[in-house]
């Protein structure tokens, strides 16, 4: 999927990596994961409601 090295961040060349703490990236991942799970659960609930209605 990633055939080159352009998607990797180098702390020597990308100073924003050094400015943002590791906890920021962990929080971004956690929020994204929770949003994904919430969207999937809501689709499941709405799908079951529609199936019961007919």
């Amino acid at each position: 999927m990633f055939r080159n090295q352009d998607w990797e961040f180098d702390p020597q060349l990308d100073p924003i990596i050094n400015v943002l703490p590791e906890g920021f990236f962990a929080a971004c991942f956690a929020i994204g994961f929770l949003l994904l799970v919430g969207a999937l659960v809501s689709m499941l609930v709405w799908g079951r409601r529609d199936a019961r209605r007919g």
Side-chain angles (χ1 to χ4, degrees):
M1 185 175 198
F2 300 107
R3 296 183 183 187
N4 57 21
Q5 301 300 323
D6 291 341
W7 61 278
E8 292 182 0
F9 289 108
D10 183 8
Q12 302 298 326
L13 301 175
D14 301 316
I16 195 68
I17 298 300
N18 295 325
V19 173
L20 298 172
E22 186 176 335
F24 172 78
F25 294 105
C28 287
F29 175 78
I31 290 170
F33 182 75
L34 290 175
L35 288 173
L36 175 67
V37 170
L40 292 174
V41 168
S42 66
M43 286 190 289
L44 179 68
V45 169
W46 284 332
R48 287 187 178 191
R49 284 184 190 166
D50 286 342
R52 287 183 187 166
R53 290 183 186 167

